[in-house]
Amino acid sequence: QMTFDPEIFFNVLLPPIIFHAGYSLKKKHFFQNLGSILTYAFLGTAISCIVIGLIMYGFVKVMIHAGQLKNGDFHFTDCLFFGSLLSATDPVTVLAIFHELHVDPDLYTLLFGESVLNDAVAIVLTYILSIISPALISNCFVSTCFFNSFISVFLGLFCTVFFTGQLLFPLTHLPHLTKFTKLCEFPMLETGLFFLLSWSAFLSAEAAGLTGIVAVLFCGVTQAHYTYNNLSSDSKMRTKQLFEFMNFLAENVIFCYMGLALFTFQNHIFNALFILGAFLATFVARACNIYPLSFLLNLGRKHKIPWNFQHMMMFSGLRGAIAFALAIRDTDSQPKQMVLTTTLLIVFFTVWVFGGGTTPMLTWLQIR
Amino acid sequence: QMTFDPEIFFNVLLPPIIFHAGYSLKKKHFFQNLGSILTYAFLGTAISCIVIGLIMYGFVKVMIHAGQLKNGDFHFTDCLFFGSLLSATDPVTVLAIFHELHVDPDLYTLLFGESVLNDAVAIVLTYILSIISPALISNCFVSTCFFNSFISVFLGLFCTVFFTGQLLFPLTHLPHLTKFTKLCEFPMLETGLFFLLSWSAFLSAEAAGLTGIVAVLFCGVTQAHYTYNNLSSDSKMRTKQLFEFMNFLAENVIFCYMGLALFTFQNHIFNALFILGAFLATFVARACNIYPLSFLLNLGRKHKIPWNFQHMMMFSGLRGAIAFALAIRDTDSQPKQMVLTTTLLIVFFTVWVFGGGTTPMLTWLQIR
């Protein structure tokens, strides 16, 4: 069998990617745009999740009507689950091109910040939905279920972020360790401690039953903010290059594995109507996320987000490794298998078409 | 239980250490002293293995006489097995101090080259002994067994090195790949390929039933010799630092685990007579290795190996990670448990006493 345990994604491959994302945040622009980024990441992801969930629920009803699906196979929570995992955008190609072409730093930061944080949000959403959905299915009264899940998701999200924030407290000793000792004379030891303590943030969060991914993201941000400045110049370079390399390797492994999974996964369920619905839902949800929120944000921002930036953000809604990893985590039931197949197709389509179309799009929108 | 699968040593922790050893060989001095290094590593390790085996066999006879051991528990092949695993020297502390103090490069290279190659030799010896010993025990006629094992060991060793040399053939495409393509414009990709292809040498050797450790050592040497010079300057630094870091981490994990194993391993068998014998055997074997071989080598060398260098080499016979990893691989029977306990004690004693005594010894021998 050409598969490996999906837990490997969450314990081995994702942490370096997420940590690197946090560690390489450009702080100045990030904190300048923090309000907008948080709005897109939290509110936007919630909107995206619900819109995709609702549209897919409509398509599921149509499929049941057309006899392609049995009633009771695909619950509303399954639709929301699909919505939450498809909300994790991953514009890695777009950002690489932006970086290459030195596109406007505000646009870069908005997209990058959104994509980093909404991964965490999507992971927490998916996790909470997978926990509460069995309880809700038995009492499938849509509006109650909807309301309940919405509240629990946000409470859960808040608590997780809050507690992982607390978890990081021991880690703030690392800046002290690097600042007030002679550790900087042994860059190798310094790098080793840096690596192990960052990893321990992930492990301790997982051991405490929280989401390690969120912990590792915030750990990356705080490490970059506090510890990085106290490192020796040798360690600065070492840690940067190490995490860059680990990120590169992990991302490539995931993309290779996605290619394999498309052809070797045994239980693919291709359903034209479902796939059509998913593509439609993805684009509608992205539009419902970007345009209304940008409008609201522009009311308060000094530097408005112009129309062409909004179109570019709309266009950069690539789906990637996280969506795939969340989809492959659970493929026991038929709906989940359908979700995996559809997610894979959406990932490949968005990466190839939107990723490949970035440069022409930038020219067309007169951003460069 | 505070233990992990010993196979993790051989598949995860040792390959980076051995690869790094090969990759960081100082080529000029290494190839100048190649004859001496090979003599110490191959002939010296064989002498060491046999001397330790014979002395331990004597002690085992005494123990049987004293009623501390049943007849038939501890065969001659077990003694040879113990001898082979104790032949892997690992003067990591000594070399670190040499590096710091810029001690004579010839002495450094001799010690470093010997320790790198004799790890591989000891691993192969141990492997072959563990394979042939069940067959030999049934017909425990010492002299035949001794002769047979000696021949098979050397044939096996030769074949392994030869075949792993062949295995490296596809890897020599990597220098071509790095030389004749524009790969060097993408240092991250270059580093990634370098890492993965080096690892694939290990994996393909293991898959073919050969010893991956030997493959990865020679892979490291050839990569440093051919590929390294064709890398972009960015990749040169990246690969060096990456493997340095992995080596550092793996070595520290092993030493931490050794400390744990000393206190948490459930089946320690401390036998004073056996431990005494092992310490005696270790020192006698090191002397039988260094002094006669140095005498023979000095007959042919232009730059003679002076007496104080010989004493320093004698003193630098630290045992380390490899000996421990080989001992913990098999702890099913009582003799093997006794071997593990004794190996751990020898490792700690040599690392603390000899490692700590390096600087005074260098002064006393007037090397610096």
Side-chain angles (χ1 to χ4, degrees), chain A residues 1 108 114 117 154 175 205 208 223 231-232 237 270 311 345 350:
Chain A
Q1 222 182 347
Y108 182 89
E114 185 212 354
L117 288 178
F154 268 86
Q223 295 280 50
L231 292 176
S232 63
M237 199 184 50
F270 291 92
H311 293 316
L345 291 176
T350 55

Side-chain angles (χ1 to χ4, degrees), chain A residues 100 111 128 148 163 167 298 330 332 346 351 353 366 368:
Chain A
E100 203 75 18
L111 264 178
I128 292 172
N148 273 348
F163 282 120
L167 252 177
N298 273 342
D330 175 9
D332 293 337
I346 289 180
V351 167
V353 175
Q366 298 178 322
R368 61 175 269 269

Side-chain angles (χ1 to χ4, degrees), chain B residues 86-289:
Chain B
L86 270 190
S87 302
T89 60
D90 182 16
V92 49
T93 346
V94 177
L95 289 173
I97 293 168
F98 277 27
H99 190 79
E100 202 75 16
L101 301 176
H102 302 287
V103 168
D104 184 272
D106 270 334
L107 178 58
Y108 182 90
T109 313
L110 280 177
L111 264 178
F112 184 64
E114 185 213 354
S115 78
V116 167
L117 288 177
N118 84 0
D119 285 352
V121 176
I123 288 168
V124 175
L125 271 176
T126 316
Y127 177 70
I128 292 171
L129 276 171
S130 69
I131 284 180
I132 61 168
S133 74
L136 287 170
I137 283 169
S138 53
N139 172 23
C140 195
F141 188 55
V142 176
S143 67
T144 331
C145 134
F146 178 67
F147 187 71
N148 272 349
S149 65
F150 199 76
I151 296 292
S152 353
V153 159
F154 268 86
L155 275 183
L157 200 66
F158 182 76
C159 292
T160 319
V161 171
F162 186 74
F163 282 120
T164 44
Q166 300 299 310
L167 251 178
L168 284 169
F169 190 66
L171 265 177
T172 54
H173 290 305
L174 190 56
H176 296 298
L177 196 68
T178 48
K179 193 171 183 178
F180 297 121
T181 64
K182 293 198 168 176
L183 194 62
C184 58
E185 289 174 13
F186 307 95
M188 187 62 90
L189 185 61
E190 204 178 27
T191 311
L193 275 179
F194 188 95
F195 174 78
L196 291 177
L197 283 179
S198 304
W199 194 25
S200 79
F202 174 77
L203 293 178
S204 46
E206 285 285 314
L210 304 169
T211 45
I213 293 291
V214 181
V216 98
L217 171 65
F218 283 82
C219 175
V221 175
T222 46
Q223 295 280 49
H225 204 69
Y226 299 108
T227 318
Y228 183 74
N229 301 310
N230 296 321
L231 292 177
S232 62
S233 62
D234 194 21
S235 287
K236 277 185 189 175
M237 199 184 51
R238 271 175 196 276
T239 51
K240 251 182 154 173
Q241 296 198 340
L242 177 69
F243 289 115
E244 206 180 337
F245 178 71
M246 284 170 67
N247 170 60
F248 176 81
L249 218 58
E251 240 166 26
N252 277 287
V253 169
I254 294 186
F255 273 92
C256 288
Y257 188 59
M258 270 195 257
L260 268 182
L262 187 60
F263 296 107
T264 62
F265 181 66
Q266 297 294 317
N267 304 312
H268 274 308
I269 302 181
F270 292 92
N271 184 310
L273 206 57
F274 192 82
I275 293 167
L276 185 75
F279 272 89
L280 185 73
T282 310
F283 302 128
V284 172
R286 185 78 187 157
C288 294
N289 170 355

